[in-house]
Amino acid sequence: MRTLFDYPPREGVGGIFPTCDVPSGSPAEVLGEGLVRRNAPRIPNLSEGDVARHYTQLSKLNYGVDDGIYPLGSCTMKYNPKLNEDVARLAGFADVHPRTDEPLAQGTLRVLFELSELLRGISGMAAVTLQPVAGAHGELLGMFLFKKHFEERGETGRTRVLLPDSAHGTNPASAAVAGFSVTEIRSNERGTVDLDSLRAELDSSVAGIMLTVPNTLGIFEENILDIARAVHEAGGLCYFDGANLNSFIGRARPGDMGADVFHFNLHKTFSTPHGGGGPGAGAVAVSEKLVEYLPVPWIAKAGETYRLDWDHPRSIGSIHAFYGNFLVAVKAYAYLLQLGDEGLREVSGDAVLNANYLQERLKKTYSLPYDRRCKHEFVLSGEGFPDHVSTIDIAKRLIDYGVHPPTIYFPLIVREALMIEPTETESRESLDRFAEILETIAREAREHPELLHNAPTRAPVRRLDQTQAARNPVLTYPFGEQTA
Amino acid sequence: MRYLPNADADRHQMLDAIGCARLEDLFSDIPREVLEKCEPLGLPMRSELDVFGELVRTAEANSAVNQISLLGGGIYDHYTPHVVGQILARSEFYTAYTPYQPEISQGTLTAMFEFQTLICELTGMEIANASMYDGTTALAEAALMAERIRKRKRVAVAANLLPQYRRVLNTYAWAAGLELVDVPFDVSGRCAWERTPENVSAIVVQSPNAFGVIESLGGLKEKLGDALLIVATYPLALGLLEPPGSFGADIVVGEGQSLGLPMGFGGPLLGLFATKMEFLRQLPGRVAGRTIDAEGKTGYTMAAQTREQHIRRERATSNICTNSALCALAATVYLASVGAEGLRQVAELNFAKAHYLANEIGRLKGYRLAFDAPFFNEFVVRTPGSADAARRKLGRMGFLVEDPAELEALGVKNALRIAVTERRSRAELDHMIAALGGRR
């Protein structure tokens, strides 16, 4: 792949910036020699056409939601409405400085306030902050709130967080960054939290539980009220990971399930794009007992005026430079305004129906370790094929058929996992076509396994050597070396 | 709803196919009392035309966009060439996920590799990650990384950090049990290094700092013993200024907004994180690396993943997953567009315009620069009488100037912080000087 550093440098390609219209001394004289850059960074000077072509060519090596089905489990790769993109580019939103006086930024503050209120309604909880900028950032905030809660109560011995083995990978890392140790809770044969295992762990060293709802098997914890009650009776708090909210939005609220903290991924449930790995946004809702610890500033409304409210002395402080990812929030707001209550119920209805439809068909071809109704996603296993065909081979063969593979090798409790989340924005024909491809691949696995082992052959590159990338890391352009 | 392609007829057939009588039955695993408590928001379904109209009006309520901005403090009103927005609008980039399937993510991965290289070139460092959330969380992660490397809980922090950096650092430090010790600044506005405490894992410094002042980093590293030098920087300024890597910095973080991102009321932003190769195993966040495919052809993939949360779970170097990939792409296209020459030019424009304005204000009766150390494109000026009065006067003339409260909290009274970017014309600057009751 050609990088921008491989282009021949051009001369005389300036013109973006005007010539200087003020008298100025030489920087070297004003600053002194030691502060002025001696060696220019090795950034080639290119024509605008070079740049446009280079990145257009790169874009064609990518696969996005606009290219086709993107059934990554737990990632909710739904269609990203185009209206949202244009709204976020409106100068009135995009070009406002975060230190602008509140009266001059009423539109932005209004969006932040109103979106918080809508999310509060969706959660059925006491308050919402939009400061976290990603799901894992919301998890981290949740763990900070746990910590603060017990610190304020003098219960500093509560240092353990319980985590089901079906939890998202970020959960244990988030708990650890906030200084908690992690205790894993086994799932039972139905794929849900084993209540006895949970109760056996509950004591005065437990700060609480982090529960993904529904879990990464796509299964709703039917005993969620018992789980929450047991944790609360033991003096702990309940964190519900809302990455999978798409499966029950508009039909059930985490606040009614016993959540003390719940995070939203605006870039999953609320249709804002993933951007190849961000920026996202991860709003957090809390129960009454944690409200006063929320990060500052809050967005407040008095009469018809919105303002930033810093006066919360028991707040944990700030977790972001300013007020979270506003330009992501405004996309989620546009989405919510269009859908309304009716649309939100349709979203969860179709998301769950699509997943169950696909599961029902594919379980005839692939093994389904937890064979029961699912919510928005389900997990197949790539086990049972001859000739060492494994899940990675199936995934890479899907690429040859022009579709994006599901999440693979996760959750860890299913061997050779293929975690499939179609989302509500796939049509029935699209699901049928995806199922046909997976059925064809299963046939190929038995009859022509080499097709899978060699896949992909129709992608911009063949299978990449991850071992070499790990063993001999080349993380920057090797200037001066000959490259392939 | 036009985002949902299935019609009622499809839904009925699909329910039949799975042997389910009613859609509601698919939700019977949720406790009935939970389902019954759910209340609607009272929000009607609305058309695109209707919603777009409302949001255009809401955006227009932000009257700030019609004013001339002199706001700074870590976020700046810079110009972005149009090619950046056009590339970012390509849905192959913005509708893709994190590149877990490298064979169909070479666009994102190649751009990540370019980004890492560009950040290393700018900062003078050996490796960079593919981005963090923003400059402040990047700094907090740097402090945590220093603790992992040096195994000491104390961190020395320059007292002239921009407040948003200090706020976020405070929160993360509290949670991780780090002790932050202030290093005061002197009358020049620079950090007083001789007052750095002993036995710290790192010293955290920002340059340019909260006063816009460029710190003197020469020789500092040698005085620190084995403490790591963490520098928070302003990448656009590095078009003109000697990079932190030249002064021996161990970790360089920064806010990348100046490289082609809109201000967006402070988000999304772009956290920069660069360090030395020897610290790779302790680096937080994603990294792209160059490798080869099954036929020996060059390609890119995520590298050094054993540090990350999805592999290492609670022993990961950070919990970060989604970061600021599209913002990093914006910075990459921005830098590719301006090139080394354009970057130097825009940095010099910032420098020249800020110095022009500072000199002119300095000539006004009662006004003087608060600090005499060198600055880049932002400076603090003492006002005759209340800073608020001067600010209100400028506000009436259409200039956005920051509330002096933040400077007051740093102990600098009767003063305004003024930032000048390449977007400010001489006419605007002269108009401002006149507004302050100046020479014309």
Side-chain angles (χ1 to χ4, degrees):
Chain A
M1 240 45 66
R2 187 143 83 134
T3 71
L4 82 102
F5 307 104
D6 297 309
Y7 282 75
R10 312 272 181 203
E11 279 180 30
V13 288
I16 291 172
F17 304 108
T19 50
C20 193
D21 61 356
V22 295
S24 64
S26 126
E29 277 169 31
V30 178
L31 296 175
E33 284 297 337
L35 293 182
V36 173
R37 187 162 194 137
R38 284 167 297 172
N39 300 313
R42 286 170 289 187
I43 308 172
N45 300 305
L46 304 176
S47 72
E48 184 172 309
D50 291 334
V51 174
R53 281 189 184 164
H54 177 59
Y55 290 100
T56 299
Q57 281 160 11
L58 286 188
S59 78
K60 291 177 179 177
L61 307 178
N62 259 13
Y63 183 100
V65 172
D66 284 359
D67 291 295
I69 188 170
Y70 213 126
L72 276 177
S74 275
C75 300
T76 314
M77 296 298 286
K78 62 170 73 176
Y79 174 70
N80 309 129
K82 302 309 170 202
L83 166 71
N84 303 352
E85 299 305 307
D86 282 350
V87 164
R89 285 175 178 238
L90 290 171
F93 288 136
D95 298 338
V96 177
H97 192 285
R99 290 182 210 275
T100 302
D101 284 352
E102 289 132 314
L104 306 182
Q106 285 294 298
T108 290
L109 291 169
R110 177 174 174 218
V111 169
L112 290 170
F113 182 87
E114 297 298 336
L115 177 62
S116 305
E117 283 298 292
L118 291 175
L119 295 177
R120 194 166 68 87
I122 289 166
S123 69
M125 294 171 74
V128 164
T129 174
L130 296 175
Q131 206 170 107
V133 295
H137 204 209
E139 292 171 23
L140 188 62
L141 170 60
M143 291 298 98
F144 286 174
L145 295 170
F146 272 35
K147 192 180 182 79
K148 182 74 173 175
H149 173 76
F150 292 116
E151 217 174 80
E152 292 278 320
R153 295 164 62 96
E155 297 181 57
T156 47
R158 291 191 179 269
T159 55
R160 283 199 301 149
V161 169
L162 307 182
L163 267 167
D165 50 14
S166 58
H168 284 141
T170 45
N171 287 182
S174 298
V177 173
F180 291 105
S181 66
V182 171
T183 305
E184 197 167 89
I185 304 290
R186 275 186 312 112
S187 300
N188 59 25
E189 70 286 350
R190 286 182 53 74
T192 52
V193 169
D194 188 78
L195 265 177
D196 290 333
S197 303
L198 172 68
R199 288 206 176 97
E201 291 292 346
L202 286 171
D203 59 27
S204 62
S205 71
V206 170
I209 189 169
M210 290 182 94
L211 198 66
T212 303
V213 184
N215 68 26
T216 54
L217 294 167
I219 296 171
F220 197 89
E221 301 282 348
E222 298 133 310
N223 296 321
I224 193 157
L225 295 175
D226 297 323
I227 293 170
R229 201 174 298 122
V231 171
H232 285 145
E233 279 171 5
L237 295 170
C238 292
Y239 185 103
F240 291 171
D241 179 323
N244 296 339
L245 172 64
N246 215 41
S247 64
F248 62 86
I249 190 165
R251 294 170 188 269
R253 305 183 300 187
D256 299 326
M257 303 172 195
D260 295 299
V261 187
F262 179 81
H263 89 252
F264 300 84
N265 294 74
L266 300 189
H267 50 292
K268 294 182 180 178
T269 318
F270 299 92
S271 82
T272 76
H274 283 69
V284 160
V286 296
S287 64
E288 201 60 60
K289 55 186 167 237
L290 299 177
V291 172
E292 60 185 327
Y293 310 135
L294 283 175
V296 282
W298 299 11
I299 315 293
K301 183 182 182 185
E304 285 308 306
T305 308
Y306 303 91
R307 65 185 181 87
L308 299 168
D309 177 8
W310 292 88
D311 188 20
H312 295 280
R314 298 176 80 184
S315 158
I316 60 148
S318 301
I319 59 162
H320 181 259
F322 297 101
Y323 326 109
N325 281 350
F326 167 69
L327 294 180
V328 177
V330 73
K331 296 179 191 181
Y333 184 60
Y335 179 70
L336 269 171
L337 287 188
Q338 270 208 79
L339 259 62
D341 285 306
E342 193 189 334
L344 288 180
R345 280 178 66 85
E346 282 184 29
V347 162
S348 51
D350 282 357
V352 172
L353 180 56
N354 276 0
N356 277 283
Y357 177 75
L358 202 53
Q359 174 181 259
E360 186 67 22
R361 176 157 173 185
L362 286 172
K363 78 181 192 187
K364 294 169 191 135
T365 314
Y366 289 83
S367 106
L368 176 67
Y370 297 90
D371 186 1
R372 47 180 297 183
R373 283 270 155 77
C374 63
K375 289 264 88 55
H376 64 303
E377 67 190 1
F378 58 97
V379 183
L380 300 173
S381 171
E383 275 196 314
F385 291 105
D387 290 299
H388 308 289
V389 166
S390 60
T391 282
I392 188 126
D393 304 313
I394 297 166
K396 299 305 180 194
R397 187 64 180 155
L398 278 164
I399 292 173
D400 278 340
Y401 283 98
V403 293
H404 198 285
T407 298
I408 53 173
Y409 298 102
F410 194 84
L412 306 175
I413 52 175
V414 172
R415 281 200 285 196
E416 298 289 325
L418 287 151
M419 186 195 203
I420 300 175
E421 178 181 8
T423 85
E424 74 281 6
T425 58
E426 292 308 313
S427 66
R428 187 182 164 197
E429 309 92 80
S430 168
L431 301 177
D432 286 338
R433 182 171 170 271
F434 182 68
E436 273 162 33
I437 293 170
L438 269 174
E439 286 157 3
T440 306
I441 291 173
R443 220 166 30 247
E444 289 175 344
R446 294 195 176 84
E447 294 164 9
H448 305 286
E450 71 285 358
L451 290 175
L452 280 76
H453 290 305
N454 292 334
T457 56
R458 297 174 202 158
V461 288
R462 299 286 301 275
R463 219 178 281 197
L464 288 159
D465 186 347
Q466 310 260 5
T467 316
Q468 177 180 308
R471 197 172 296 156
N472 175 29
V474 180
L475 309 177
T476 55
Y477 183 81
F479 289 101
E481 285 173 33
Q482 210 61 24
T483 52
Chain B
M1 209 308 130
R2 69 206 175 85
Y3 302 145
L4 307 178
N6 284 332
D8 277 341
D10 296 309
R11 291 174 180 137
H12 288 307
Q13 287 170 11
M14 290 165 77
L15 282 167
D16 280 348
I18 61 172
C20 183
R22 299 173 329 133
L23 184 67
E24 278 64 36
D25 293 348
L26 292 176
F27 295 88
S28 59
D29 47 2
I30 301 179
R32 175 174 298 195
E33 57 183 293
V34 171
L35 292 171
E36 284 172 354
K37 277 188 194 160
C38 189
E39 286 172 25
L41 304 169
L43 206 59
M45 193 180 272
R46 291 166 67 184
S47 68
E48 176 179 322
L49 185 154
D50 193 15
V51 169
F52 184 61
E54 176 177 330
L55 288 169
V56 166
R57 288 190 295 278
T58 305
E60 283 166 0
N62 285 336
S63 50
V65 287
N66 303 318
Q67 312 229 5
I68 301 159
S69 177
L70 299 164
L71 298 170
I75 301 293
Y76 301 91
D77 183 21
H78 288 297
Y79 181 77
T80 300
H82 283 259
V83 63
V84 176
Q86 293 282 324
I87 295 296
L88 254 61
R90 289 196 69 93
S91 70
E92 297 90 337
F93 282 128
Y94 79 77
T95 73
Y97 196 70
T98 299
Y100 285 127
Q101 294 289 342
E103 295 85 357
I104 45 173
S105 309
Q106 287 297 299
T108 295
L109 285 160
T110 307
M112 277 166 68
F113 182 80
E114 292 180 349
F115 172 76
Q116 291 163 199
T117 306
L118 289 164
I119 297 311
C120 288
E121 285 296 310
L122 273 186
T123 58
M125 302 301 285
E126 290 167 352
I127 55 172
N129 73 14
S131 76
M132 311 293 284
Y133 304 136
D134 69 359
T136 70
T137 54
L139 179 64
E141 293 266 14
L144 297 178
M145 177 168 144
E147 188 226 351
R148 289 195 297 275
I149 292 170
R150 289 291 178 250
K151 313 252 184 312
R152 289 196 285 270
K153 293 272 184 192
R154 283 181 107 194
V155 183
V157 184
N160 54 14
L161 235 52
L162 280 162
Q164 68 266 27
Y165 284 77
R166 186 54 189 263
R167 278 197 300 273
V168 173
L169 184 59
N170 284 347
T171 307
Y172 278 68
W174 156 75
L178 299 187
E179 181 199 354
L180 304 181
V181 188
D182 272 352
V183 184
F185 54 88
D186 60 24
V187 290
S188 75
R190 281 175 159 170
C191 191
W193 305 123
E194 62 282 3
R195 296 172 67 180
T196 304
E198 304 264 289
N199 284 321
V200 293
S201 62
I203 177 157
V204 172
V205 50
Q206 187 157 40
S207 182
N209 61 32
F211 309 130
V213 162
I214 304 164
E215 291 286 353
S216 170
L217 301 175
L220 174 61
K221 173 69 184 164
E222 292 70 29
K223 294 182 203 143
L224 292 179
D226 74 343
L228 301 187
L229 175 59
I230 301 175
V231 181
T233 191
Y234 175 6
L236 186 132
L238 298 180
L240 176 62
L241 302 181
E242 188 70 352
S246 296
F247 300 108
D250 296 288
I251 306 175
V252 177
V253 298
E255 175 47 61
Q257 179 268 334
S258 58
L259 306 176
L261 270 67
M263 296 183 285
F265 208 56
L269 299 174
L270 170 62
L272 310 180
F273 198 110
T275 186
K276 296 174 172 169
M277 192 61 168
E278 63 184 289
F279 300 134
L280 172 62
R281 296 291 148 204
Q282 293 300 337
L283 179 73
R286 305 227 185 274
V287 187
R290 177 177 270 188
T291 186
I292 50 169
D293 74 358
E295 290 174 347
K297 185 173 159 193
T298 298
Y300 299 88
T301 184
M302 291 204 288
Q305 293 192 70
T306 50
R307 304 163 295 111
E308 286 197 66
Q309 46 78 25
H310 61 285
I311 309 273
R312 184 146 279 204
R313 299 176 79 83
E314 69 270 22
R315 291 185 306 283
T317 54
S318 168
N319 73 324
I320 193 166
C321 178
T322 287
N323 44 63
S324 300
L326 200 70
C327 304
L329 177 67
T332 305
V333 182
Y334 175 88
L335 288 169
S337 304
V338 301
E341 282 174 16
L343 188 69
R344 177 86 181 201
Q345 187 194 359
V346 69
E348 286 186 354
L349 278 170
N350 277 259
F351 177 87
K353 292 189 181 228
H355 282 75
Y356 172 74
L357 184 66
N359 288 340
E360 293 297 321
I361 292 179
R363 288 188 201 166
L364 298 178
K365 190 161 183 262
Y367 287 88
R368 64 188 167 83
L369 288 187
F371 303 105
D372 58 10
F375 61 94
F376 172 60
N377 71 345
E378 189 168 23
F379 55 91
V380 176
V381 62
R382 301 259 186 203
T383 54
S386 122
D388 251 329
R391 184 170 97 104
R392 277 196 302 276
K393 190 150 69 169
L394 288 168
R396 282 193 298 273
M397 305 293 286
F399 291 94
L400 296 175
V401 179
E402 178 190 333
D403 189 329
E406 201 173 290
L407 282 176
E408 272 181 38
L410 288 167
V412 183
K413 299 212 167 51
N414 295 328
L416 293 173
R417 180 166 62 197
I418 307 278
V420 187
T421 70
E422 74 280 5
R423 293 195 61 190
R424 298 287 74 83
S425 67
R426 179 170 184 166
E428 287 171 344
L429 301 181
D430 287 343
H431 182 50
M432 179 190 169
I433 293 155
L436 283 175
R439 56 193 154 92
R440 271 153 259 245

